[in-house]
Amino acid sequence: MRRRPLLGLSAVVVAALVLASSVSSLAFSLSLSPAFAQVSSSSAPGTYGTARPAECVGLDGLRTTNVWERAKEPQLRRYCDLLASGTAKLVGDGPLAKDVLTIADEADRLLAGRAAPSVLRGRALLRLGKPQAALEAFQEAVKRDDRALDDPVALLAWARANARTKHFDEAAQAYRAALPRTSTLPAQERAAASFEAGMIVMAQGPNAIDAAVAMLKQARRDSQDALQVASVVGLALALDRAGQRDEAKAVLAERVRDGAKALLKDARVLGALSDAGVPEESDALAGMALEGVDAAGAREAWKKYLDGPGGKGPWASHASGHEGVGAPSKKGTR
């Protein structure tokens, strides 16, 4: 009679061991599943961005490591190390982009035909001020893999390359696709992306103004310092262009002061406008910001806008209505 509890306990132990073995087997099977690998890659940000190249998933000790696939390609470790090194060199403002081109070429030779080296090359070329060559590199990446630009970092680079080469429709579409995916990026990069998106979408004309307002509101929430002032002024400009002038004045009154002109000339603001392909909008921003504090400066900024590319764009009539603000006018402009 005393042996039955012992037998019951043994049965429990055996059952637990069987269950553990089953769970372990299931985990191993899942680790070899491409679908599981894809989920793991998108939820584990690293030096590649928010999604590592599929061929590199698992090389840093993740459960997705597939030893059989790695055994087939002995150069894979070196290839992935090169991509990580090249990506790291593109972080910050260091002048290392030229080195990245060499790294991308070496990775391409190791495993020819993969998309990731072309993406890396495109990002480096964009940093070097060669947007047309960058655009071609990104196009080559997409030829190799139609999901090559799914990562938000790559998608933003693609948007900027299109914007800088005056492919505005493609750029606006890329920005629209990128913004919902930027939650994993640093706040500074999210803010720049929202500001750039709002400015280029607004430049498409009245039909896109509501979307631009939403994007610039997001930029205002995420940004700091000079870029926040630019986002606030950009939002006011968008509201004013949408005919919501009282709201535009309220937005400006809440944040913009006498120092706005200098902040709008900040290198980061000018760089964001250039990335968005609309550097001429800096004059419209200045005109908008100065109307309440420097009428002469505002008139000068609006005139400069009209004398440049803005005078031939969809917002020329809007700028003409502001050019004489604060000064007597035969036309009776405000």
Side-chain angles (χ1 to χ4, degrees), residues 195-210:
F195 176 71
E196 293 165 24
M199 295 305 295
I200 193 172
V201 168
M202 177 162 52
Q204 291 185 303
N207 290 338
I209 196 64
D210 290 341

Side-chain angles (χ1 to χ4, degrees), residues 282-307:
S282 63
D283 296 317
L285 290 174
M288 196 72 210
L290 294 174
E291 283 189 0
V293 294
D294 180 0
R299 288 195 300 273
E300 181 183 353
W302 287 118
K303 184 178 186 303
K304 186 178 178 183
Y305 178 81
L306 287 167
D307 289 343

Side-chain angles (χ1 to χ4, degrees), residues 16 41 89 115 123 130 138 157 178 185 187 196 216-217 232 271 277 298 309 316 324:
S41 68
K89 291 179 185 296
R123 291 181 59 200
K130 299 178 179 180
F138 291 135
L185 300 181
E196 293 165 24
L216 289 164
K217 284 182 178 179
V232 169

